[in-house]
Amino acid sequence: MARLSVTDLSVTYRTGDGDLTAVDRVTFDIQDNEIFGIVGESGCGKSTLGDSFLQLLDENGSISGGSIVYDGMDLAAMTDRELADEVRGNKISMIFQDPNASLDPVYTVGQQLVETITKHLDMNKKAARERAIELLDDVGIPDPEDRIDNYPHSFSGGQLQRIVIAIALSCEPGLLIADEPTTGLDVSIQAQILDLLEELAESHETSIVMITHDLGVVAEICDRVGVMYAGNMVEIAPIQQLFDAPRHPYTQALLDSIPERHGMKEDLTVIPGHPPDLRQPPTGCRYNPRCDQVCGMECETGDVPPTYDVEGTDVMCYLYDEGVNEAYEGPTNIVAEPGGDD
Amino acid sequence: MQWYEYFLKRVLLFIPIMWGVSIFVFLIVHLVPGSPAVTMLGAQATPELVEEIERELGLHRPMPVQYVEWLAGVLQGDLGTSYSNRRPVASVLAERFWVSLQLVLMTFPVAFVFAIPLGIAAAMKKHSKVDYASMGIGVIGVSIPTFFSAVLLMTVFAVWLGWLPVSGYVSPREDLLESIRHMILPVTSMALVAIAVMMRMMRSSMLDTVGEEYIRFLKAKGMSRRTIMLGHALKNSFIPVITIMGLQFGYMLSGAVVIEEIFAIPGLGRTILQAVLQRDYPLVQGSVLLIALWFAVVNLVTDLAVAYLDPRIMEGDS
């Protein structure tokens, strides 16, 4: 079953030089107990997408269209107050990149756990404290009875991320949004944190949205992956399928640029050019100026491509449309049309 | 580190600080050209008379000798005798200190009560009317010199409207109401600057804090805006404000020279000014020592308050 359904979601920032649509008509589902990765390079809109679920966007950003349905509620239509009382920290939690900056330095970790628990669960402070100790134990903090009264500065980065995870999962949310949760950590700690997330997701029956630029992280824990480019979700595929048979030229180029996939001596492949300025996105497919497989006029001058279903992969590319790409021989299955043009 | 260790360490630091100050002020005072004897004698100063008086005051001896003798006196609680009015420096200072302290103790709460809530409100409602009003007050408070605002207030409320006395000082022990009436104008002009400084610091510190990642995490875990702003952001952003408040508190006591001059208040600032003009060495030295001690104490209290609010201080940076 789909736990979260995102349909035609757009997020727009107002900037000094006009509006910028950082997430453009994105559609995807997250299933029960699934770890869903969202990958893409900096500025592709993946963090904006993650922030939009709980409406944690910067002041100048707002959801400009579409819906985010969780448990029968449209999160995109809820007020800040409603989200704070009913959803944030309770049904959906979010963790961020820098664990050293994620906790308030002037309160103990226990106080920060307890305030979250008492806010959402019907528990007094004493019961909440006991639960907090259990949670710290669950995430692998040694001597939780003593450490609970320590301030954040006395923990290491990896321990802090464990504590942040404990806080995020303290009220048994159905969904955890993790925005680059391991980027700020040492490589050895990264693997531990990923293992912890995977383990807790399973035992708490929590689905996870893992936002990352690191395909290694994706390979390690995700069940399915969405690849974002310039505000579009250009490809969604089960993990194995994405690595074995990437469909979108951007995904193919992205995989080619991973060092491990080449011999040590070979030069890394780089994708030529730069991501487009989203204030004035290119016509046609947004990737066309950098694409080495442009297959027809539509790529450069048409609309943003529709999403095609190619053997279980959702891909937003004209290569899989026999009307555009004469060389294409498979069936053309359009699963989503780009919404009305803006 | 424990509380008392921290406290003790800081109090012990007073000794080198005060010693340094004593040498510094002694040197400055004695090296500045002009002799107290000349000032005392005025137009009748002849070289013979000047020499006689200098001998009388002990100024003919080598400076190190004078310093050691003075320091020995200070350590025994004897700050010397003022040249200008022949009274013990300690009793003159005690008298003036209370006057200045009264000014500070009245000004500071006024400044606090206006500055802190206004700074918080401005930060919470950025680009609102409150914010712009606070910015206006901030610019006015910082940019209008005290002598101007003091004279302006005096002209309007004392001279034109006649609501308040023009100048002078009445001890609260003599007549509390009159004392307060005399303090309103000097307190207002002094508070204006303090309000501007403290409010701007409060506002910017709060805005900095609100941009921190833990504020986002608090929001993500469902805390209400009220809890986030008043429970978390305020406590964090108050820490740098305390330091600024301490500086203001220290400065008010010693830096009120202009205010005390304009409103003819016999406080420390005015005392120092007159003592310097008259080359009244013992009085200058005594006042500067007292002010240095005051700053050291205020700093200590400030740092203790900061350490109380910020757990990172006590444990050192590990």
Side-chain angles (χ1 to χ4, degrees), chain A residues 84 88-89 96 98 101-102 104 107 112 115-116 119-120 151 153, chain B residues 213-214 216-223 231-232 235-236 311-312 315:
Chain A
R88 291 184 194 138
F96 301 99
D98 185 0
S102 288
D104 186 336
Y107 288 97
Q112 300 186 55
E115 73 174 346
T116 318
K119 160 93 192 189
H120 298 298
Y151 289 94
H153 69 263
Chain B
E213 187 138 300
Y214 60 79
R216 247 158 76 84
F217 186 57
L218 284 165
K219 204 174 169 192
K221 66 186 200 178
M223 296 294 113
H232 290 270
K235 192 171 171 190
N236 277 284
R312 286 165 296 190
E315 298 182 27

PDB file of all heavy atoms in Angstrom, chain A residues 84 88-89 96 98 101-102 104 107 112 115-116 119-120 151 153, chain B residues 213-214 216-223 231-232 235-236 311-312 315:
ATOM      1  N   ALA A  84       2.068  21.075  12.921  1.00  0.00           N
ATOM      2  CA  ALA A  84       2.843  20.974  14.157  1.00  0.00           C
ATOM      3  C   ALA A  84       2.124  20.067  15.157  1.00  0.00           C
ATOM      4  O   ALA A  84       2.737  19.265  15.846  1.00  0.00           O
ATOM      5  CB  ALA A  84       3.071  22.357  14.754  1.00  0.00           C
ATOM      6  N   ARG A  88       4.007  16.660  12.309  1.00  0.00           N
ATOM      7  CA  ARG A  88       5.454  16.748  12.509  1.00  0.00           C
ATOM      8  C   ARG A  88       5.891  16.058  13.791  1.00  0.00           C
ATOM      9  O   ARG A  88       5.351  16.329  14.865  1.00  0.00           O
ATOM     10  CB  ARG A  88       5.892  18.207  12.588  1.00  0.00           C
ATOM     11  CG  ARG A  88       5.770  18.953  11.287  1.00  0.00           C
ATOM     12  CD  ARG A  88       6.321  20.366  11.459  1.00  0.00           C
ATOM     13  NE  ARG A  88       5.907  21.193  10.338  1.00  0.00           N
ATOM     14  CZ  ARG A  88       5.481  22.445  10.458  1.00  0.00           C
ATOM     15  NH1 ARG A  88       5.411  23.018  11.628  1.00  0.00           N
ATOM     16  NH2 ARG A  88       5.123  23.117   9.389  1.00  0.00           N
ATOM     17  N   GLY A  89       6.857  15.191  13.662  1.00  0.00           N
ATOM     18  CA  GLY A  89       7.398  14.509  14.841  1.00  0.00           C
ATOM     19  C   GLY A  89       6.518  13.376  15.323  1.00  0.00           C
ATOM     20  O   GLY A  89       6.932  12.560  16.131  1.00  0.00           O
ATOM     21  N   PHE A  96      18.265  15.829   9.657  1.00  0.00           N
ATOM     22  CA  PHE A  96      19.040  16.656   8.734  1.00  0.00           C
ATOM     23  C   PHE A  96      20.496  16.236   8.662  1.00  0.00           C
ATOM     24  O   PHE A  96      20.941  15.320   9.347  1.00  0.00           O
ATOM     25  CB  PHE A  96      18.932  18.122   9.147  1.00  0.00           C
ATOM     26  CG  PHE A  96      17.518  18.622   9.159  1.00  0.00           C
ATOM     27  CD1 PHE A  96      16.803  18.700  10.346  1.00  0.00           C
ATOM     28  CD2 PHE A  96      16.895  18.978   7.976  1.00  0.00           C
ATOM     29  CE1 PHE A  96      15.491  19.136  10.350  1.00  0.00           C
ATOM     30  CE2 PHE A  96      15.587  19.424   7.975  1.00  0.00           C
ATOM     31  CZ  PHE A  96      14.880  19.508   9.162  1.00  0.00           C
ATOM     32  N   ASP A  98      23.485  17.846   9.444  1.00  0.00           N
ATOM     33  CA  ASP A  98      24.557  18.095  10.408  1.00  0.00           C
ATOM     34  C   ASP A  98      24.100  17.779  11.828  1.00  0.00           C
ATOM     35  O   ASP A  98      23.444  18.592  12.466  1.00  0.00           O
ATOM     36  CB  ASP A  98      24.993  19.557  10.307  1.00  0.00           C
ATOM     37  CG  ASP A  98      26.184  19.849  11.202  1.00  0.00           C
ATOM     38  OD1 ASP A  98      26.650  18.916  11.883  1.00  0.00           O
ATOM     39  OD2 ASP A  98      26.641  21.002  11.211  1.00  0.00           O
ATOM     40  N   ALA A 101      24.656  20.259  14.666  1.00  0.00           N
ATOM     41  CA  ALA A 101      23.866  21.485  14.750  1.00  0.00           C
ATOM     42  C   ALA A 101      22.385  21.196  14.932  1.00  0.00           C
ATOM     43  O   ALA A 101      21.578  22.107  14.974  1.00  0.00           O
ATOM     44  CB  ALA A 101      24.086  22.324  13.480  1.00  0.00           C
ATOM     45  N   SER A 102      22.032  19.913  15.037  1.00  0.00           N
ATOM     46  CA  SER A 102      20.605  19.576  15.053  1.00  0.00           C
ATOM     47  C   SER A 102      19.962  19.639  16.434  1.00  0.00           C
ATOM     48  O   SER A 102      18.747  19.606  16.546  1.00  0.00           O
ATOM     49  CB  SER A 102      20.382  18.174  14.479  1.00  0.00           C
ATOM     50  OG  SER A 102      20.578  18.188  13.088  1.00  0.00           O
ATOM     51  N   ASP A 104      19.577  21.552  20.272  1.00  0.00           N
ATOM     52  CA  ASP A 104      19.746  22.810  20.986  1.00  0.00           C
ATOM     53  C   ASP A 104      20.869  22.649  22.019  1.00  0.00           C
ATOM     54  O   ASP A 104      20.769  21.804  22.907  1.00  0.00           O
ATOM     55  CB  ASP A 104      18.421  23.159  21.681  1.00  0.00           C
ATOM     56  CG  ASP A 104      18.468  24.528  22.337  1.00  0.00           C
ATOM     57  OD1 ASP A 104      19.580  24.999  22.653  1.00  0.00           O
ATOM     58  OD2 ASP A 104      17.401  25.124  22.527  1.00  0.00           O
ATOM     59  N   TYR A 107      20.129  22.705  26.107  1.00  0.00           N
ATOM     60  CA  TYR A 107      19.285  21.747  26.813  1.00  0.00           C
ATOM     61  C   TYR A 107      19.922  20.362  26.743  1.00  0.00           C
ATOM     62  O   TYR A 107      20.605  20.042  25.761  1.00  0.00           O
ATOM     63  CB  TYR A 107      17.882  21.702  26.205  1.00  0.00           C
ATOM     64  CG  TYR A 107      17.052  22.927  26.511  1.00  0.00           C
ATOM     65  CD1 TYR A 107      16.970  23.968  25.588  1.00  0.00           C
ATOM     66  CD2 TYR A 107      16.379  23.058  27.716  1.00  0.00           C
ATOM     67  CE1 TYR A 107      16.230  25.108  25.870  1.00  0.00           C
ATOM     68  CE2 TYR A 107      15.636  24.188  27.998  1.00  0.00           C
ATOM     69  CZ  TYR A 107      15.558  25.215  27.078  1.00  0.00           C
ATOM     70  OH  TYR A 107      14.840  26.336  27.361  1.00  0.00           O
ATOM     71  N   GLN A 112      15.394  17.251  25.440  1.00  0.00           N
ATOM     72  CA  GLN A 112      14.940  17.379  24.055  1.00  0.00           C
ATOM     73  C   GLN A 112      14.166  16.152  23.595  1.00  0.00           C
ATOM     74  O   GLN A 112      13.301  16.250  22.721  1.00  0.00           O
ATOM     75  CB  GLN A 112      16.131  17.694  23.143  1.00  0.00           C
ATOM     76  CG  GLN A 112      16.793  18.993  23.573  1.00  0.00           C
ATOM     77  CD  GLN A 112      17.891  19.477  22.658  1.00  0.00           C
ATOM     78  OE1 GLN A 112      17.679  19.642  21.461  1.00  0.00           O
ATOM     79  NE2 GLN A 112      19.066  19.722  23.194  1.00  0.00           N
ATOM     80  N   GLU A 115      10.628  16.510  25.632  1.00  0.00           N
ATOM     81  CA  GLU A 115       9.676  17.507  25.129  1.00  0.00           C
ATOM     82  C   GLU A 115       8.963  17.006  23.873  1.00  0.00           C
ATOM     83  O   GLU A 115       7.798  17.327  23.644  1.00  0.00           O
ATOM     84  CB  GLU A 115      10.345  18.863  24.876  1.00  0.00           C
ATOM     85  CG  GLU A 115      11.242  18.913  23.653  1.00  0.00           C
ATOM     86  CD  GLU A 115      11.781  20.307  23.351  1.00  0.00           C
ATOM     87  OE1 GLU A 115      11.280  21.300  23.904  1.00  0.00           O
ATOM     88  OE2 GLU A 115      12.708  20.404  22.526  1.00  0.00           O
ATOM     89  N   THR A 116       9.661  16.190  23.086  1.00  0.00           N
ATOM     90  CA  THR A 116       9.038  15.646  21.887  1.00  0.00           C
ATOM     91  C   THR A 116       7.974  14.609  22.264  1.00  0.00           C
ATOM     92  O   THR A 116       6.867  14.601  21.721  1.00  0.00           O
ATOM     93  CB  THR A 116      10.098  14.952  21.005  1.00  0.00           C
ATOM     94  OG1 THR A 116      11.268  15.741  20.974  1.00  0.00           O
ATOM     95  CG2 THR A 116       9.583  14.737  19.602  1.00  0.00           C
ATOM     96  N   LYS A 119       4.922  16.098  23.913  1.00  0.00           N
ATOM     97  CA  LYS A 119       4.116  16.889  22.983  1.00  0.00           C
ATOM     98  C   LYS A 119       3.117  15.997  22.234  1.00  0.00           C
ATOM     99  O   LYS A 119       1.972  16.368  22.014  1.00  0.00           O
ATOM    100  CB  LYS A 119       5.041  17.598  21.989  1.00  0.00           C
ATOM    101  CG  LYS A 119       4.393  18.065  20.697  1.00  0.00           C
ATOM    102  CD  LYS A 119       3.898  19.500  20.778  1.00  0.00           C
ATOM    103  CE  LYS A 119       3.005  19.818  19.577  1.00  0.00           C
ATOM    104  NZ  LYS A 119       2.677  21.216  19.476  1.00  0.00           N
ATOM    105  N   HIS A 120       3.573  14.812  21.823  1.00  0.00           N
ATOM    106  CA  HIS A 120       2.718  14.012  20.939  1.00  0.00           C
ATOM    107  C   HIS A 120       2.047  12.832  21.608  1.00  0.00           C
ATOM    108  O   HIS A 120       1.010  12.380  21.147  1.00  0.00           O
ATOM    109  CB  HIS A 120       3.550  13.493  19.762  1.00  0.00           C
ATOM    110  CG  HIS A 120       4.108  14.586  18.904  1.00  0.00           C
ATOM    111  ND1 HIS A 120       3.307  15.467  18.219  1.00  0.00           N
ATOM    112  CD2 HIS A 120       5.377  14.962  18.632  1.00  0.00           C
ATOM    113  CE1 HIS A 120       4.074  16.326  17.554  1.00  0.00           C
ATOM    114  NE2 HIS A 120       5.335  16.047  17.795  1.00  0.00           N
ATOM    115  N   TYR A 151      24.668  17.271  27.939  1.00  0.00           N
ATOM    116  CA  TYR A 151      24.362  18.242  26.892  1.00  0.00           C
ATOM    117  C   TYR A 151      24.935  17.757  25.565  1.00  0.00           C
ATOM    118  O   TYR A 151      25.895  16.967  25.544  1.00  0.00           O
ATOM    119  CB  TYR A 151      24.946  19.602  27.262  1.00  0.00           C
ATOM    120  CG  TYR A 151      24.214  20.249  28.405  1.00  0.00           C
ATOM    121  CD1 TYR A 151      24.646  20.102  29.713  1.00  0.00           C
ATOM    122  CD2 TYR A 151      23.061  20.987  28.161  1.00  0.00           C
ATOM    123  CE1 TYR A 151      23.951  20.678  30.764  1.00  0.00           C
ATOM    124  CE2 TYR A 151      22.369  21.573  29.201  1.00  0.00           C
ATOM    125  CZ  TYR A 151      22.810  21.411  30.503  1.00  0.00           C
ATOM    126  OH  TYR A 151      22.115  21.989  31.534  1.00  0.00           O
ATOM    127  N   HIS A 153      26.979  18.871  23.481  1.00  0.00           N
ATOM    128  CA  HIS A 153      28.394  19.040  23.136  1.00  0.00           C
ATOM    129  C   HIS A 153      29.271  17.910  23.659  1.00  0.00           C
ATOM    130  O   HIS A 153      30.419  17.782  23.263  1.00  0.00           O
ATOM    131  CB  HIS A 153      28.909  20.389  23.641  1.00  0.00           C
ATOM    132  CG  HIS A 153      29.009  20.465  25.136  1.00  0.00           C
ATOM    133  ND1 HIS A 153      28.032  21.024  25.912  1.00  0.00           N
ATOM    134  CD2 HIS A 153      29.971  20.060  25.985  1.00  0.00           C
ATOM    135  CE1 HIS A 153      28.382  20.939  27.184  1.00  0.00           C
ATOM    136  NE2 HIS A 153      29.553  20.355  27.254  1.00  0.00           N
TER     137      HIS A 153
ATOM    138  N   GLU B 213      20.267  25.206  12.560  1.00  0.00           N
ATOM    139  CA  GLU B 213      19.612  23.969  12.135  1.00  0.00           C
ATOM    140  C   GLU B 213      18.749  23.364  13.247  1.00  0.00           C
ATOM    141  O   GLU B 213      17.731  22.744  12.969  1.00  0.00           O
ATOM    142  CB  GLU B 213      20.662  22.949  11.676  1.00  0.00           C
ATOM    143  CG  GLU B 213      20.018  21.710  11.076  1.00  0.00           C
ATOM    144  CD  GLU B 213      20.714  21.225   9.824  1.00  0.00           C
ATOM    145  OE1 GLU B 213      20.775  22.008   8.854  1.00  0.00           O
ATOM    146  OE2 GLU B 213      21.188  20.078   9.816  1.00  0.00           O
ATOM    147  N   TYR B 214      19.144  23.546  14.518  1.00  0.00           N
ATOM    148  CA  TYR B 214      18.322  22.924  15.564  1.00  0.00           C
ATOM    149  C   TYR B 214      16.935  23.545  15.656  1.00  0.00           C
ATOM    150  O   TYR B 214      15.996  22.912  16.120  1.00  0.00           O
ATOM    151  CB  TYR B 214      19.024  22.916  16.928  1.00  0.00           C
ATOM    152  CG  TYR B 214      19.403  24.254  17.503  1.00  0.00           C
ATOM    153  CD1 TYR B 214      18.465  25.057  18.126  1.00  0.00           C
ATOM    154  CD2 TYR B 214      20.714  24.698  17.444  1.00  0.00           C
ATOM    155  CE1 TYR B 214      18.832  26.275  18.683  1.00  0.00           C
ATOM    156  CE2 TYR B 214      21.089  25.904  17.989  1.00  0.00           C
ATOM    157  CZ  TYR B 214      20.140  26.702  18.599  1.00  0.00           C
ATOM    158  OH  TYR B 214      20.503  27.902  19.145  1.00  0.00           O
ATOM    159  N   ARG B 216      15.218  24.319  12.989  1.00  0.00           N
ATOM    160  CA  ARG B 216      14.501  23.541  11.973  1.00  0.00           C
ATOM    161  C   ARG B 216      14.123  22.161  12.509  1.00  0.00           C
ATOM    162  O   ARG B 216      13.029  21.655  12.257  1.00  0.00           O
ATOM    163  CB  ARG B 216      15.401  23.348  10.754  1.00  0.00           C
ATOM    164  CG  ARG B 216      14.910  24.071   9.516  1.00  0.00           C
ATOM    165  CD  ARG B 216      16.064  24.284   8.577  1.00  0.00           C
ATOM    166  NE  ARG B 216      16.427  23.069   7.865  1.00  0.00           N
ATOM    167  CZ  ARG B 216      15.826  22.659   6.756  1.00  0.00           C
ATOM    168  NH1 ARG B 216      14.835  23.347   6.253  1.00  0.00           N
ATOM    169  NH2 ARG B 216      16.218  21.579   6.145  1.00  0.00           N
ATOM    170  N   PHE B 217      15.048  21.568  13.251  1.00  0.00           N
ATOM    171  CA  PHE B 217      14.763  20.238  13.795  1.00  0.00           C
ATOM    172  C   PHE B 217      13.639  20.321  14.833  1.00  0.00           C
ATOM    173  O   PHE B 217      12.777  19.452  14.894  1.00  0.00           O
ATOM    174  CB  PHE B 217      16.028  19.610  14.399  1.00  0.00           C
ATOM    175  CG  PHE B 217      15.837  18.191  14.854  1.00  0.00           C
ATOM    176  CD1 PHE B 217      15.401  17.223  13.969  1.00  0.00           C
ATOM    177  CD2 PHE B 217      16.066  17.826  16.168  1.00  0.00           C
ATOM    178  CE1 PHE B 217      15.203  15.915  14.373  1.00  0.00           C
ATOM    179  CE2 PHE B 217      15.878  16.516  16.589  1.00  0.00           C
ATOM    180  CZ  PHE B 217      15.441  15.557  15.685  1.00  0.00           C
ATOM    181  N   LEU B 218      13.654  21.382  15.645  1.00  0.00           N
ATOM    182  CA  LEU B 218      12.570  21.572  16.617  1.00  0.00           C
ATOM    183  C   LEU B 218      11.236  21.683  15.903  1.00  0.00           C
ATOM    184  O   LEU B 218      10.227  21.125  16.331  1.00  0.00           O
ATOM    185  CB  LEU B 218      12.819  22.842  17.437  1.00  0.00           C
ATOM    186  CG  LEU B 218      13.883  22.740  18.524  1.00  0.00           C
ATOM    187  CD1 LEU B 218      14.297  24.121  19.001  1.00  0.00           C
ATOM    188  CD2 LEU B 218      13.355  21.923  19.694  1.00  0.00           C
ATOM    189  N   LYS B 219      11.267  22.412  14.781  1.00  0.00           N
ATOM    190  CA  LYS B 219      10.041  22.569  14.004  1.00  0.00           C
ATOM    191  C   LYS B 219       9.620  21.219  13.426  1.00  0.00           C
ATOM    192  O   LYS B 219       8.457  20.842  13.466  1.00  0.00           O
ATOM    193  CB  LYS B 219      10.299  23.578  12.881  1.00  0.00           C
ATOM    194  CG  LYS B 219       9.041  24.249  12.399  1.00  0.00           C
ATOM    195  CD  LYS B 219       9.349  25.344  11.379  1.00  0.00           C
ATOM    196  CE  LYS B 219       8.039  25.787  10.748  1.00  0.00           C
ATOM    197  NZ  LYS B 219       8.222  26.624   9.569  1.00  0.00           N
ATOM    198  N   ALA B 220      10.619  20.481  12.939  1.00  0.00           N
ATOM    199  CA  ALA B 220      10.323  19.191  12.314  1.00  0.00           C
ATOM    200  C   ALA B 220       9.777  18.192  13.322  1.00  0.00           C
ATOM    201  O   ALA B 220       9.083  17.254  12.947  1.00  0.00           O
ATOM    202  CB  ALA B 220      11.577  18.630  11.650  1.00  0.00           C
ATOM    203  N   LYS B 221      10.101  18.379  14.615  1.00  0.00           N
ATOM    204  CA  LYS B 221       9.561  17.415  15.570  1.00  0.00           C
ATOM    205  C   LYS B 221       8.257  17.903  16.189  1.00  0.00           C
ATOM    206  O   LYS B 221       7.772  17.321  17.150  1.00  0.00           O
ATOM    207  CB  LYS B 221      10.612  17.030  16.616  1.00  0.00           C
ATOM    208  CG  LYS B 221      11.054  18.110  17.553  1.00  0.00           C
ATOM    209  CD  LYS B 221      12.218  17.621  18.430  1.00  0.00           C
ATOM    210  CE  LYS B 221      12.337  18.487  19.665  1.00  0.00           C
ATOM    211  NZ  LYS B 221      13.373  18.073  20.580  1.00  0.00           N
ATOM    212  N   GLY B 222       7.708  18.977  15.636  1.00  0.00           N
ATOM    213  CA  GLY B 222       6.346  19.367  15.983  1.00  0.00           C
ATOM    214  C   GLY B 222       6.210  20.372  17.108  1.00  0.00           C
ATOM    215  O   GLY B 222       5.129  20.595  17.622  1.00  0.00           O
ATOM    216  N   MET B 223       7.313  21.011  17.520  1.00  0.00           N
ATOM    217  CA  MET B 223       7.207  22.019  18.571  1.00  0.00           C
ATOM    218  C   MET B 223       6.450  23.234  18.042  1.00  0.00           C
ATOM    219  O   MET B 223       6.579  23.596  16.876  1.00  0.00           O
ATOM    220  CB  MET B 223       8.605  22.455  19.024  1.00  0.00           C
ATOM    221  CG  MET B 223       9.425  21.347  19.662  1.00  0.00           C
ATOM    222  SD  MET B 223       8.715  20.796  21.220  1.00  0.00           S
ATOM    223  CE  MET B 223       8.227  19.139  20.786  1.00  0.00           C
ATOM    224  N   GLY B 231      11.089  29.264  24.225  1.00  0.00           N
ATOM    225  CA  GLY B 231      11.754  28.246  25.012  1.00  0.00           C
ATOM    226  C   GLY B 231      13.179  27.984  24.553  1.00  0.00           C
ATOM    227  O   GLY B 231      14.070  27.788  25.367  1.00  0.00           O
ATOM    228  N   HIS B 232      13.400  27.988  23.259  1.00  0.00           N
ATOM    229  CA  HIS B 232      14.714  27.607  22.756  1.00  0.00           C
ATOM    230  C   HIS B 232      15.493  28.794  22.177  1.00  0.00           C
ATOM    231  O   HIS B 232      16.606  29.061  22.601  1.00  0.00           O
ATOM    232  CB  HIS B 232      14.575  26.526  21.682  1.00  0.00           C
ATOM    233  CG  HIS B 232      14.122  25.205  22.236  1.00  0.00           C
ATOM    234  ND1 HIS B 232      14.995  24.248  22.685  1.00  0.00           N
ATOM    235  CD2 HIS B 232      12.885  24.688  22.430  1.00  0.00           C
ATOM    236  CE1 HIS B 232      14.322  23.191  23.120  1.00  0.00           C
ATOM    237  NE2 HIS B 232      13.035  23.432  22.976  1.00  0.00           N
ATOM    238  N   LYS B 235      16.539  31.562  24.863  1.00  0.00           N
ATOM    239  CA  LYS B 235      17.608  31.196  25.792  1.00  0.00           C
ATOM    240  C   LYS B 235      18.973  31.236  25.093  1.00  0.00           C
ATOM    241  O   LYS B 235      19.937  31.748  25.636  1.00  0.00           O
ATOM    242  CB  LYS B 235      17.339  29.805  26.364  1.00  0.00           C
ATOM    243  CG  LYS B 235      18.229  29.471  27.554  1.00  0.00           C
ATOM    244  CD  LYS B 235      17.809  28.189  28.263  1.00  0.00           C
ATOM    245  CE  LYS B 235      18.851  27.788  29.284  1.00  0.00           C
ATOM    246  NZ  LYS B 235      18.636  26.454  29.845  1.00  0.00           N
ATOM    247  N   ASN B 236      19.005  30.709  23.879  1.00  0.00           N
ATOM    248  CA  ASN B 236      20.265  30.710  23.141  1.00  0.00           C
ATOM    249  C   ASN B 236      20.703  32.113  22.747  1.00  0.00           C
ATOM    250  O   ASN B 236      21.882  32.450  22.834  1.00  0.00           O
ATOM    251  CB  ASN B 236      20.139  29.861  21.880  1.00  0.00           C
ATOM    252  CG  ASN B 236      20.357  28.399  22.159  1.00  0.00           C
ATOM    253  OD1 ASN B 236      21.481  27.967  22.337  1.00  0.00           O
ATOM    254  ND2 ASN B 236      19.283  27.637  22.244  1.00  0.00           N
ATOM    255  N   PRO B 311      25.887  25.572  28.901  1.00  0.00           N
ATOM    256  CA  PRO B 311      26.613  24.460  29.524  1.00  0.00           C
ATOM    257  C   PRO B 311      27.995  24.232  28.916  1.00  0.00           C
ATOM    258  O   PRO B 311      28.828  23.583  29.527  1.00  0.00           O
ATOM    259  CB  PRO B 311      25.706  23.264  29.252  1.00  0.00           C
ATOM    260  CG  PRO B 311      24.869  23.654  28.088  1.00  0.00           C
ATOM    261  CD  PRO B 311      24.679  25.133  28.212  1.00  0.00           C
ATOM    262  N   ARG B 312      28.234  24.773  27.718  1.00  0.00           N
ATOM    263  CA  ARG B 312      29.522  24.529  27.076  1.00  0.00           C
ATOM    264  C   ARG B 312      30.669  25.236  27.782  1.00  0.00           C
ATOM    265  O   ARG B 312      31.812  24.840  27.698  1.00  0.00           O
ATOM    266  CB  ARG B 312      29.477  24.966  25.607  1.00  0.00           C
ATOM    267  CG  ARG B 312      28.693  24.013  24.748  1.00  0.00           C
ATOM    268  CD  ARG B 312      28.346  24.624  23.416  1.00  0.00           C
ATOM    269  NE  ARG B 312      27.462  25.769  23.584  1.00  0.00           N
ATOM    270  CZ  ARG B 312      26.855  26.374  22.572  1.00  0.00           C
ATOM    271  NH1 ARG B 312      27.045  25.968  21.347  1.00  0.00           N
ATOM    272  NH2 ARG B 312      26.051  27.387  22.783  1.00  0.00           N
ATOM    273  N   GLU B 315      32.363  23.239  31.057  1.00  0.00           N
ATOM    274  CA  GLU B 315      33.149  22.037  30.796  1.00  0.00           C
ATOM    275  C   GLU B 315      34.339  22.312  29.892  1.00  0.00           C
ATOM    276  O   GLU B 315      35.038  21.402  29.506  1.00  0.00           O
ATOM    277  CB  GLU B 315      32.239  20.965  30.182  1.00  0.00           C
ATOM    278  CG  GLU B 315      31.147  20.595  31.165  1.00  0.00           C
ATOM    279  CD  GLU B 315      30.244  19.504  30.654  1.00  0.00           C
ATOM    280  OE1 GLU B 315      30.705  18.692  29.839  1.00  0.00           O
ATOM    281  OE2 GLU B 315      29.086  19.461  31.064  1.00  0.00           O
TER     282      GLU B 315
END
